Amino acid sequence: MNLPPATAAPVTTEARLAYVLRHFWLAYQPAPPVRIGYAADRPQVEVLEGAVDFFSGHEPYPAAPNFRAWQEQQVPFFFDAHPERPLLELLPGRAVVSADVVSAAFYLLSGWQEYFCAERDQHGRFPYAASVQQRYGFVALPVVNYYFDVLRRAVEHVSGQALQPRRWAADAPFATFVTHDIDNLYSAWKEPAKAALKRGNLLGFGRHLWQHLAQPDAWDNLEQVQQNVAAYGASSTFFFIPNYGRSTEHGPYNADYRLHKLIPRVQTLAAKSEIGLHGSIGSARTPQQLGAEAEAIGEALTDKGQRLGLRFHYLQWEPRVTPEHLTGLGALYDSTLGFAEHFGFRHSYCLPFRLFDFKHGQAFDFLEIPLNLMDATLHHPRYLRLAPAEIMPAIQPMLQEIERFGGVFTLLWHNENFDPANSANGPREFHRIMEYLRGRGTAFLTGRAICAAVQE
Ligand SMILES: [Zn+2]
C-alpha cells in the first residue's frame, strides 16, 4: 500500500499556541482573561520555549521526554529544556512553566507522530508499536490533560479564580459514549459450523446449518443491543457499513448484511439511538467511496441531510488524507482514533478535540471523539488476551483518569459480542463495565450530544 506524501508547511509558534490554547480554554470553566504564551508576548503565564526548530522539520519523533511528578503521577514532558528548574514557579502576579507544555501538547494532540512517521500495518494503520505512547509507556495516561492541569494551576494563581473541569449533562463528572460497529448480523453460526466440519462431525455441522436456516442468527440482535443499553438509561450509537461482502478478492470482509434491506429496522432504531457511518475498507483513503457511503446512510434515515458521525471499519485511518476527506464530507465527528492493540489515549487526551491540518496550519472543523476501548482489544489473539476477571483491574486506572479530568470515555462493543456464547469479551464483560460507569455517575451521551455539549 503506497503512502500519500506528507505535504506540510512549517508550523509557526503562533499557530501552535493558538491551536493548543483553544483546546485548553474549552477544557475548563470559567475562562478568566489570563494571557498564556512565550516570553516574547510578555504573558502572565509564561511557558519556556523548548522545541527549538523541531516544528519546522519533518521528524516524527522528538527527543525522549523527562518524567516529572505532577498530581502524584509521573508524567512525560517532551520539549523540557530546563529539567533543573521547578516545573511551575508561582511569582507575584505571574507564573512560569519551565517545560514547553504548549509544544508537547501540540505534538501529541495534532497527530504529528503519525502524520510524519511512514510506518503502517497490514491494514494501513499507524501501529501502536511505532508510537511514543508505546515507547515511553504512557498510553493509558492522558498526558495532554496533565499539561493543561499545570496551566490551570498557573491561571488560578494569576487570576485568583478556581477553574473546574467541564461538567456534563445533569452535572455528571464525565461522559460515556457507547458505540457499536455493525459488521455482522448473520454469521454467528459460521465458526461453530466450521469447527464441527473440521472435526469431521457432519451431524454437528448439519445441525448448525439447519439452525442457521430455520432460526434467527444470534448476532441479528440490534434491538436487543438497544434494550441492553437502555437498561442503564443510556442511548448508544450504531455505525453501519453500506458495503457488502469482501472488500477485494482476498481482502477483509465488509458487512455481512445489505444495508438497504435493513432500512425499516434502522429507522426504528434511530428513534432512540444514534445512527452513524462505519466507513468500509478503503473508504478512509477514497473520498468518492466515502461520499457514496455517507449518502447511503443518509438515504436509510428519515432525518436526511444531517451531518454524520462515523468510525472506519478496522479502525482504518490515513492521517495524511482522511481528515481532509472528512472535512470535504462535512462530517460532524469521527471516533476512529484509538489503538486497536491497546486501550488508552492515542492522542494522549481524554476530551473531544480537533486534529491539526498540516497543509493549512489550522485545526480541522470536525470533532474527533477518540476511541478508548474496543472489545476486541481485550481478547483478540494479536492484542491483549485478558481473562474476564482481568478486564476491570486493567481498565480502571484509565477510567479514573477520564473522570479526574471530566473527559469522555468512548467504548466500542460490537453487536456480535452481545452473543451469550461469548464468555471472553461478551455481554457479561460489557455489563460489568457499564455497571462500574453507572456507579461513578457518568452521563451516557451519543456522539451528536457530545458535539452539542462541547461546541464553542
Ligand atoms: Zn468494523
Side-chain angles (χ1 to χ4, degrees):
M1 211 183 289
N2 47 10
L3 200 58
T7 45
V11 184
T12 63
T13 308
E14 293 71 35
R16 235 150 57 216
L17 198 57
Y19 173 79
V20 168
L21 292 183
R22 180 182 178 191
H23 286 94
F24 171 75
W25 289 118
L26 280 175
Y28 294 97
Q29 299 155 336
V34 171
R35 288 190 323 277
I36 305 173
Y38 294 112
D41 310 325
R42 311 191 119 280
Q44 294 150 291
V45 174
E46 182 186 336
V47 176
L48 299 189
E49 258 201 282
V52 204
D53 49 8
F54 180 82
F55 295 102
S56 50
H58 287 176
E59 277 299 312
Y61 305 111
N66 291 325
F67 280 81
R68 296 194 190 234
W70 184 260
Q71 300 268 27
E72 288 116 51
Q73 279 288 0
Q74 284 298 314
V75 179
F77 286 84
F78 292 94
F79 309 110
D80 182 0
H82 304 277
E84 74 290 350
R85 289 181 66 158
L87 180 59
L88 178 62
E89 290 168 62
L90 301 176
L91 307 163
R94 62 190 202 96
V96 178
V97 180
S98 68
D100 190 348
V101 291
V102 169
S103 292
F106 177 82
Y107 174 76
L108 292 166
L109 264 188
S110 66
W112 181 283
Q113 64 170 346
E114 27 191 301
Y115 190 90
F116 290 104
C117 169
E119 253 183 81
R120 301 291 184 263
D121 70 8
Q122 78 270 32
H123 300 301
R125 306 178 298 196
F126 174 69
Y128 173 56
S131 70
V132 288
Q133 284 83 358
Q134 193 277 340
R135 188 180 308 176
Y136 303 112
F138 64 89
V139 71
L141 204 65
V143 165
V144 174
N145 296 89
Y146 278 89
Y147 298 159
F148 284 2
D149 199 57
V150 177
L151 292 178
R152 173 196 63 81
R153 183 70 199 89
V155 169
E156 285 181 339
H157 167 73
V158 170
S159 68
Q161 230 178 323
L163 271 57
Q164 302 297 336
R166 59 166 316 120
R167 307 284 288 190
W168 296 88
D171 213 28
F174 68 110
T176 296
F177 178 30
V178 181
T179 65
H180 320 288
D181 294 357
I182 312 302
D183 301 339
N184 298 302
L185 291 178
Y186 308 123
S187 303
W189 69 285
K190 284 182 186 164
E191 277 308 314
K194 256 192 251 168
L197 201 58
K198 232 187 208 163
R199 288 195 306 269
N201 178 356
L202 284 181
L203 200 62
F205 174 74
R207 199 170 52 237
H208 287 296
L209 185 62
W210 180 81
Q211 274 176 0
H212 165 60
L213 295 170
Q215 292 172 7
D217 196 279
W219 294 353
D220 189 3
N221 59 358
L222 300 174
E223 294 73 17
Q224 288 101 293
V225 170
Q226 187 178 53
Q227 286 157 14
N228 269 272
V229 173
Y232 297 88
S235 95
S236 53
T237 301
F238 293 72
F239 295 111
F240 286 96
I241 311 184
N243 208 335
Y244 171 81
R246 261 202 204 280
S247 51
T248 57
E249 195 184 344
H250 300 288
Y253 282 90
N254 285 309
D256 79 344
Y257 56 87
R258 295 180 195 272
L259 180 66
H260 67 266
K261 293 192 176 169
L262 289 183
I263 288 179
R265 284 176 76 189
V266 170
Q267 292 188 344
T268 307
L269 283 173
K272 289 185 187 152
S273 303
E274 182 186 21
I275 307 298
L277 168 62
H278 197 33
S280 73
I281 298 291
S283 63
R285 284 164 161 257
T286 320
Q288 296 80 359
Q289 186 183 343
L290 184 64
E293 293 183 10
E295 217 163 277
I297 292 287
E299 274 162 25
L301 297 171
T302 26
D303 179 7
K304 303 192 193 309
Q306 54 179 307
R307 291 176 74 192
L308 283 180
L310 74 164
R311 175 180 296 129
F312 289 97
H313 190 35
Y314 276 72
L315 306 186
Q316 284 197 328
W317 183 271
E318 176 39 63
R320 297 180 182 179
V321 295
T322 307
E324 69 182 69
H325 297 168
L326 292 182
T327 305
L329 192 70
L332 180 62
Y333 71 86
D334 169 81
S335 187
T336 303
L337 294 179
F339 290 115
E341 301 94 324
H342 207 292
F343 56 83
F345 309 100
R346 176 153 158 181
H347 290 252
S348 301
Y349 196 50
C350 70
L351 279 162
F353 66 100
R354 287 182 165 81
L355 287 157
F356 192 76
D357 179 348
F358 291 102
K359 274 184 203 154
H360 301 101
Q362 60 191 29
F364 281 108
D365 183 50
F366 70 90
L367 266 188
E368 176 63 31
I369 310 177
L371 172 63
N372 305 114
L373 173 60
M374 168 167 83
D375 48 9
T377 302
L378 297 170
H379 196 67
H380 191 282
R382 293 206 349 262
Y383 304 149
L384 292 183
R385 297 165 171 265
L386 296 176
E390 294 170 326
I391 293 176
M392 279 319 295
I395 68 171
Q396 230 161 301
M398 167 183 72
L399 298 174
Q400 284 160 358
E401 295 293 342
I402 294 171
E403 185 175 343
R404 174 201 286 245
F405 293 111
V408 176
F409 170 50
T410 304
L411 173 65
L412 160 53
W413 215 265
H414 289 80
N415 63 302
E416 55 197 69
N417 291 328
F418 285 83
D419 178 353
N422 180 348
S423 57
N425 50 358
R428 276 167 297 268
E429 290 67 37
F430 174 77
H431 286 296
R432 221 168 281 144
I433 296 171
M434 290 294 279
E435 274 155 29
Y436 171 86
L437 294 165
R438 179 168 61 185
R440 301 304 305 169
T442 196
F444 291 103
L445 298 176
T446 62
R448 190 168 297 281
I450 288 166
C451 290
V454 301
Q455 280 320 320
E456 290 151 88

